[in-house]
Amino acid sequence: MRQSLARDFNDLLERGRDRQLRLAVTGLSRSGKTAFLTSLVHQLRHAGLEARLDLFPAAREGRILGAQRVAQQDLGVPRFPYDEAMLALDDTPPRWPEPTRGISELRLSIRYRPGKRGMFRSETAHLTLDLFDYPGEWLLDLPLLGHDYLSWSLAQPLATDSPLHNERRALFGDWLEAVKGLDPAAEADEASLATIAEHYARGLREAREAGFANLQPGRFLLPGELSGAPVLQFFPLPGLAEHDRASLAALPEQSVYQTLVRRFSHYQQHVVKPFYREHFRRFDRQIVLVDVLGALNAGPERFEDLSHALSTLMKSFDYGKRSLMSRLFAPRIDRLAIAATKADHVTPEQHGNLVALIEALLADPLQDLRYADVPVRAMSLASIRATQAREVEHQGKRTPALRGTTLAGEEVLVFPGEVPARLPDAEFWARQGFDFPAFRPAPRDNGTLPHIRLDSALEWLLGDKLQ
Ligand SMILES: Nc1nc2c(ncn2[C@@H]2O[C@H](COP(=O)(O)OP(=O)(O)O)[C@@H](O)[C@H]2O)c(=O)[nH]1
Ligand SMILES: [Mg+2]
């Protein structure tokens, strides 16, 4: 009661006055962050004009008067390359924006007329929206903060030789070969550690190319100025066990094991922590983007891998009281969205299943979030719709299909398959009922970027701030 009174009072004070919102757009690499941010900025800039945002009342009611990019607060962080992204999308033929290699941010000033309930009905107000884009590779390092070297090493997929990881193992062949002969107790040899670490980094890069998600350490994939530094020269040691902890701890300083322990902890302290302290601390809202369909398309091992990567990632965000991140940095996220991206890869009647599937995939973190009383919504969307829904006659029946242009420029009409509403089981994979090509974005012919339910995401993330 008291709390809600306080909230009403705050609302009253805030209304008609400038508001501010910091939104973090997070997701693993290739999950669709750049496309989402580009479309979000684009739609807001065209809201109230030609943008189609029926599920975003502030826009539908014509209360958004404009959105402009303004100078951001942190001058040391690159600006989100919105213009470059739009240029790519407007190219002939249209291209997807280039992947971004680092962190970036963008500040939008949104001018709007408060809703009917506002006290200052006729006045206009501003919402300053700070948007943050983090490389998926760096986010992957978050879970690493909850480990020490031994527990991290044991948690890595190749720590044991389970057949679950056969495809991954094939990509790490050189590393597995090289690390096999390495004795944790032997004296560390700088050059050989560097070589083995390079094999490991190459395995990670190839695994990323092959669609794997659970890839640590993330900086090995985007080393930037750390390229070649010893802090990036460690890797897990297969064949260790928790019950070796005491004997491993007793190994001499110069041993392979102790050297890797030092590098791991240096990486935690000097690479991962500063990133979160400086860039990842104070945002109010977060959207987590997940390419569920891409993982379905890639098969069972990749799907399982995504599931694992997401649950560890979400555990480290963990918005409840006990979480690692809240203990370290006390974030105050008051609202969260979890979105299955690229929904235009499946026919519209599958979208309900897609939401059910992402809820199943994130069941544990969703439960924790609800327990922590953080409002959260799962949805499916396409930031930039590249296909059109059609119906075709098939054996006398009308069935749904998608029309689009492949990256190679071929026009196709496809039925990509049914999305399971639950986590796919062996039977689903045996049927292999899922397949779609990547599509080229459609030319927008001076219109706004087509999307699916981006307006619904905007409403969930910003709607209340534009009341
Ligand atoms: N069809 C379709 N493809 C998308 C969409 N969003 C992203 N993609 C594809 O996914 C790729 C990766 O997206 P991007 O936004 O760069 O991912 P990021 O690494 O998370 O920033 C793009 O190059 C597109 O091929 C979408 O809404 N529809
Ligand atoms: Mg990106």
Side-chain angles (χ1 to χ4, degrees), residues 29 101 137 203-212 215 221-222:
S29 140
R101 312 250 97 202
E137 289 85 352
L204 288 173
R205 286 195 294 270
E206 282 174 17
R208 180 179 57 183
E209 282 312 300
F212 283 91
L215 305 167
L221 292 162
L222 277 182

Side-chain angles (χ1 to χ4, degrees), residues 28-35 37 80 97-102 104 133-137:
L28 301 174
S29 140
R30 313 288 294 158
S31 57
K33 297 178 297 297
T34 297
L37 271 166
F80 177 75
E98 296 292 322
T100 35
R101 312 250 97 202
S104 68
D133 181 19
Y134 306 93
E137 289 85 352

Side-chain angles (χ1 to χ4, degrees), residues 308-371:
H308 187 79
L310 281 176
S311 61
T312 46
L313 180 63
M314 295 297 288
K315 224 175 276 154
S316 16
F317 289 143
D318 194 305
Y319 311 90
K321 299 266 181 308
R322 299 145 293 119
S323 85
L324 173 71
M325 292 325 282
S326 61
R327 270 187 279 123
L328 286 176
F329 306 124
R332 43 187 180 91
I333 296 169
D334 68 358
R335 191 173 278 206
L336 186 83
I338 286 168
T341 51
K342 315 182 196 178
D344 59 324
H345 276 138
V346 287
T347 46
E349 85 291 347
Q350 300 296 323
H351 290 175
N353 280 6
L354 185 52
V355 177
L357 181 59
I358 193 173
E359 282 185 333
L361 196 58
L362 291 167
D364 289 343
L366 281 172
Q367 206 169 17
D368 292 347
L369 282 160
R370 291 192 175 119
Y371 184 80

Side-chain angles (χ1 to χ4, degrees), residues 257-301:
Y257 180 79
Q258 295 293 356
T259 306
L260 296 177
V261 166
R262 279 194 302 276
R263 289 180 183 179
F264 177 83
S265 114
H266 190 91
Y267 186 83
Q268 285 182 314
Q269 299 304 321
H270 299 282
V271 178
V272 188
K273 275 195 189 158
F275 163 55
Y276 293 108
R277 205 167 26 224
E278 283 157 35
H279 299 303
F280 205 73
R281 246 197 325 184
R282 287 194 4 250
F283 47 80
D284 316 289
R285 293 191 180 172
Q286 182 185 16
I287 181 164
V288 181
L289 303 177
V290 185
D291 183 9
V292 186
L293 294 171
L296 265 190
N297 217 19
E301 190 174 320

